[in-house]
Amino acid sequence: MGYKGTPRTVKIDFAQGHEHHGAEARVRRMSFGEWEAILEGDDDNAVAEFAKRLVSWNLEDDDDQPLPATPEGLRMVDTSLVTALKEAWLQSITGVHAADPLPQSSPSGGPSLVESIPMEALSPSLAS
């Protein structure tokens, strides 16, 4: 029996304390070729691809009615949530955390050793 790959969809949810905690979505993965096409495009292309692959979500409108998990439904969602969903989806299929900050405890390092090396020209007798 051969390897069939990873699950066809990914679940997106946000951790406790995240601005959009409670929002969930299920989105289809993509092939490497489809990923390359996104890289060649712009951010609007990534949002369009996300919208095409959206399977389900738990989003509701102000009247507690479910929003359809469609490109039209996506247009009714706050832009910060759309951005967060898109970025979480891309991270889940690539494993890259593009927005992760460096830890605050990161050391600044010591002085460069290059600065302590004398940079005088060699005397004519040592140059040969």
Side-chain angles (χ1 to χ4, degrees), residues 17-92:
H18 188 279
E19 174 185 8
H20 300 294
H21 175 70
E24 296 179 359
R26 186 154 299 276
V27 188
R28 282 189 298 281
R29 293 182 179 273
M30 69 176 82
S31 70
F32 183 72
E34 293 165 328
W35 171 246
E36 283 183 318
I38 286 179
L39 292 178
E40 293 172 3
D42 56 14
D43 195 52
D44 290 338
N45 190 24
V47 172
E49 290 300 321
F50 175 84
K52 284 185 352 188
R53 288 171 170 72
L54 182 60
V55 175
S56 64
W57 60 16
N58 67 345
L59 305 184
E60 298 176 346
D61 65 15
D62 292 336
D63 297 321
D64 298 327
Q65 297 301 309
L67 289 175
T70 62
E72 294 76 27
L74 189 65
R75 288 186 189 95
M76 294 186 257
V77 177
D78 179 79
T79 54
S80 69
L81 178 53
V82 171
T83 300
L85 288 167
K86 177 203 60 151
E87 288 177 359
W89 171 63
L90 292 174
Q91 185 280 320
S92 71

Side-chain angles (χ1 to χ4, degrees), residues 89-105:
W89 171 63
L90 292 174
Q91 185 280 320
S92 71
I93 59 177
T94 63
V96 175
H97 292 268
D100 281 354
L102 292 175
Q104 293 300 319
S105 62

